Amino acid sequence: MMLIPEVFLCPISLDLMSDPVTLLPTGQTYDRPSIRRWLAAGHRTCPVTMRPLPHHASGLLAPNRTLKHLIDRWLLLADLALPTLRDNLLNAAAAAPESSPTVAAVETLRIVRSLSPPGFCALLLRLLMLRSRDHVLAELALDCLLASPSTRELADALQEEKKLPSSLAFLLRQGRPKIKIGLCRLIHTVGAVAVDAVVALGRSEPVMGALANLVRDDTGGAASDAALRAMCSPCSSDQASREAAVAAGAVDALLSYISYGGSRKRPSSHALWTLALETLELVLVSVDAGRQAMYARPGATAVLVKMVFRVPSGQDRVGSGGSEHAIGSLLVACRESAEARVDAINAGLLTRLLLLLQSQCSPRAKANAMALLKLLRAIWARH
């Protein structure tokens, strides 16, 4: 039996309330039989606050229907319904993929979403994969997973499910916008506390390709922002994930996001813009194919040059961090490619570097800026 939430206990009897009522003069809630016995014994104070009550007994109590509903739902879970809920989900998972969702399956998922019982993550994940073409069940199962109180249980479920990458890639490409955003949130949430749990997804080229497409094709939308967080999560600590991301087109996606992100006005977008620049630098430093992908993209160097020095606006609180990563990326590219050096100078890099050095930039940004100036000195002299 699960522990009874304290709010469901009557303050007088300390028993689970069967008929909760509110004592109107004080706003405290009690079980109706308990408070009636209290009043019948001649008490004229609130049992919890001890505030005096009116002498007339009529109109003191009102049903607390919201709490009654919550208690009934909890009882459904805590007593006999837990095995039933599990069986209903197993039946839904075993049904033919093209079959319509049953009323029992839909209502069961709504109850699970409301109560968030422990031990259901693996089953919900399996249901999401097996019924991925059923938008109603897929959305409800995903809602339940996102509402899970245990990120560790969710991480364990992701690690144990071997067929997850292919199902996730399908949903990220073919699912509704709500499902796509929810899956990206799921990857990012788990990756923030257990990166090892999303490494298998990061090493999957179809998954990283689907995320890269969202970052690139939905630029400026909620799906693009969520996909960026999800894609960067495994790339932050796993070399194989970075290689899979590059093979899946992540460099082009990141440059598209950065190009658009520099003009966005929402305060939160600047943190995401900096995250994109940070991930791009990490990819360029560690993956040779990432640098080749950058050289192959027309205008890539100019995009980064624009990010080197930004006049701070009222909302641009993280511009210096973005500049630092833009300079780091340019330094990597210019060391290796003469064409990138010429493109950088033609895009106005020298002026931006000089402006940056006169500003309050970080020591790392200043050191890299000086290194870039030294690298470009010969071309600068010719110009």
Side-chain angles (χ1 to χ4, degrees):
M1 189 72 172
M2 297 174 64
L3 292 176
I4 301 174
E6 188 175 346
V7 71
F8 294 168
L9 299 177
C10 175
I12 300 175
S13 64
L14 298 180
D15 292 328
L16 181 67
M17 289 185 279
S18 60
D19 187 9
V21 292
T22 300
L23 188 61
L24 294 177
T26 63
Q28 298 294 321
T29 297
Y30 303 94
D31 200 26
R32 188 186 296 272
S34 297
I35 191 63
R36 278 185 170 175
R37 284 194 297 269
W38 174 270
L39 296 173
H43 298 290
R44 280 294 172 263
T45 57
C46 171
V48 171
T49 67
M50 300 308 294
R51 282 177 52 188
L53 299 175
H55 289 288
H56 57 85
S58 61
L60 290 179
L61 304 177
N64 190 331
R65 294 188 176 87
T66 300
L67 188 57
K68 171 66 173 171
H69 173 74
L70 291 174
I71 291 173
D72 289 344
R73 283 274 181 129
W74 183 86
L75 284 170
L76 184 66
L77 166 71
D79 196 6
L80 299 175
L82 194 56
T84 303
L85 293 175
R86 195 178 296 277
D87 288 344
N88 287 347
L89 294 182
L90 287 170
N91 291 335
E98 65 276 3
S99 63
S100 300
T102 64
V103 174
V106 172
E107 182 59 23
T108 296
L109 285 168
R110 286 175 177 161
I111 292 172
V112 172
R113 180 180 60 187
S114 174
L115 298 171
S116 299
F120 270 67
C121 284
L123 181 54
L124 289 166
L125 197 60
R126 194 173 311 127
L127 177 64
L128 175 64
M129 292 190 305
L130 293 174
R131 301 300 300 272
S132 58
R133 297 177 187 275
D134 187 318
H135 297 302
V136 174
L137 288 186
E139 285 186 11
L140 283 170
L142 187 55
D143 285 345
C144 293
L145 288 166
L146 290 170
S148 171
S150 172
T151 307
R152 186 67 258 179
E153 180 191 337
L154 189 53
D156 291 341
L158 288 175
Q159 282 184 295
E160 291 170 7
E161 193 54 66
K162 304 303 181 185
K163 296 181 180 179
L164 182 62
S166 58
S167 299
L168 233 60
F170 171 81
L171 285 170
L172 287 168
R173 291 184 183 277
Q174 305 295 331
R176 291 178 177 178
K178 181 181 177 182
I179 291 179
K180 294 178 180 179
I181 294 172
L183 287 173
C184 292
R185 284 179 55 203
L186 190 70
I187 296 170
H188 173 66
T189 299
V190 174
V193 297
V195 177
D196 55 319
V198 296
V199 162
L201 301 178
R203 294 177 179 180
S204 167
E205 193 171 322
V207 171
M208 296 304 269
L211 291 173
N213 286 339
L214 280 175
V215 171
R216 178 176 48 243
D217 297 341
D218 188 52
T219 303
S224 176
D225 291 348
L228 176 70
R229 291 190 183 97
M231 186 173 70
C232 293
S233 186
C235 288
S236 64
S237 61
D238 183 58
Q239 176 66 14
S241 294
R242 291 192 285 270
E243 292 171 357
V246 168
V251 171
D252 182 66
L254 288 169
L255 285 166
S256 296
Y257 190 95
I258 292 164
S259 178
Y260 182 82
S263 62
R264 297 165 79 182
K265 302 301 182 184
R266 291 182 290 121
S268 61
S269 70
H270 295 292
L272 293 172
W273 168 68
T274 300
L275 176 63
L277 282 164
E278 180 183 8
T279 303
L280 178 64
E281 181 187 7
L282 186 59
V283 165
L284 295 180
V285 167
S286 60
V287 184
D288 179 69
R291 298 190 292 277
Q292 303 308 315
M294 177 184 162
Y295 303 146
R297 188 185 195 273
T301 304
V303 168
L304 291 175
V305 168
K306 290 179 181 178
M307 303 299 118
V308 167
F309 179 79
R310 289 163 53 84
V311 178
S313 66
Q315 293 177 329
D316 194 358
R317 298 184 181 92
V318 292
S320 60
S323 295
E324 178 180 310
H325 296 302
I327 296 169
S329 296
L330 284 167
L331 185 58
V332 171
C334 289
R335 276 175 175 164
E336 187 175 85
S337 168
E339 184 177 352
R341 293 194 288 273
V342 173
D343 289 344
I345 287 195
N346 289 337
L349 177 60
L350 295 174
T351 301
R352 289 178 178 271
L353 288 175
L354 293 172
L355 288 171
L356 182 77
L357 288 171
Q358 296 176 54
S359 67
Q360 293 182 342
C361 60
S362 69
R364 179 174 180 266
K366 183 170 292 187
N368 282 344
M370 294 295 291
L372 260 176
L373 283 173
K374 185 176 180 180
L375 188 65
L376 300 175
R377 183 182 300 166
I379 302 176
W380 186 7
R382 286 202 299 272
H383 278 245

